Amino acid sequence: MAEEFSKGDHVTWKSHGGEAEGTVQREITSDTKAAGRTVRASEDDPQYEVKSEKSGGTAVHKPGALEKD
């Protein structure tokens, strides 16, 4: 089972320019619009919306792409 994250957790992830870091904004557990796209998620396959510290933008990642600091 993949790691679970909570709102406010500080995380890192691989980005085009190397490694990015930011804060978890919310867990997504149903299909919804986030970060400018449709996110496919469920209770069994959640995704996480994160806010980048560098750009201030938001992105959505699967738990396997995130690492808790």
Side-chain angles (χ1 to χ4, degrees), residues 8-21:
D9 284 350
H10 190 264
V11 294
T12 59
W13 63 94
K14 299 273 188 269
S15 178
H16 304 295
E19 190 171 78
E21 58 185 300

Side-chain angles (χ1 to χ4, degrees), residues 11-53:
V11 294
T12 59
W13 63 94
K14 299 273 188 269
S15 178
H16 304 295
E19 190 171 78
E21 58 185 300
T23 307
V24 174
Q25 300 298 296
R26 66 179 172 141
E27 178 182 39
I28 300 171
T29 56
S30 62
D31 292 355
T32 189
K33 294 235 182 238
R37 66 181 180 91
T38 299
V39 176
R40 301 284 179 207
S42 67
E43 288 284 341
D44 293 331
D45 190 21
Q47 295 200 43
Y48 294 90
E49 184 173 28
V50 293
K51 183 174 182 178
S52 170
E53 286 183 2

